[in-house]
Amino acid sequence: QVQLVESGGGLVQPGGSLRLSCTASGSIFRIDIMGWYRQAPGKQRELVASINRAGRINYVDSVEGRFTISREGAKNTVYLQMNSLKPEDTAVYYCNVVLATVTDNNYWGQGTQVTVSS
């Protein structure tokens, strides 16, 4: 079992910034991918950003140029720096980890609320 602990969510004004962090612990052998998803009310969960163990990164188009994902592999920690936040970024953000194992390899955090509002 792997546990993911997220922090950094909150309420910010449009144009503001937040940094999310997620640390994995437990039965970790090797992490393949760490990423962030989000889910707004009435919408499906979407991938926001991910980074693999080689450092390759992808972003959803709507956050390109505003969000930055990074990781500290030795700490099993992933960050999401969110700048120039917009109201449409409001969602519950979930940390996701995929282990480099054939089974029992996909884990989710409990989610942290990000609200962008005046």
Side-chain angles (χ1 to χ4, degrees):
Q1 184 69 31
V2 174
Q3 296 81 43
L4 305 179
V5 179
E6 302 150 319
S7 64
L11 173 64
V12 296
Q13 295 182 346
S17 297
L18 287 172
R19 190 181 76 154
L20 307 182
S21 65
C22 172
T23 298
S25 62
S27 301
I28 300 172
F29 173 68
R30 186 178 185 180
I31 294 175
D32 188 10
I33 305 168
M34 303 188 82
W36 292 94
Y37 288 70
R38 67 186 180 187
Q39 187 167 23
K43 296 184 178 180
Q44 295 200 89
R45 189 174 298 187
E46 67 172 351
L47 176 66
V48 178
S50 66
I51 182 168
N52 73 4
R53 56 187 293 270
R56 287 187 286 271
I57 294 169
N58 72 290
Y59 299 100
V60 67
D61 288 346
S62 60
V63 309
E64 186 77 46
R66 299 188 297 120
F67 291 10
T68 302
I69 190 169
S70 61
R71 63 183 288 271
E72 296 185 47
K75 298 181 180 180
N76 296 320
T77 298
V78 64
Y79 304 94
L80 186 67
Q81 179 66 47
M82 304 185 293
N83 298 325
S84 302
L85 283 161
K86 304 175 180 179
E88 51 263 44
D89 295 318
T90 296
V92 177
Y93 284 69
Y94 297 91
C95 181
N96 175 252
V97 167
V98 179
L99 304 182
T101 57
V102 66
T103 59
D104 300 322
N105 63 356
N106 198 307
Y107 296 90
W108 295 89
Q110 294 298 307
T112 183
Q113 178 70 48
V114 172
T115 302
V116 184
S117 176
S118 298

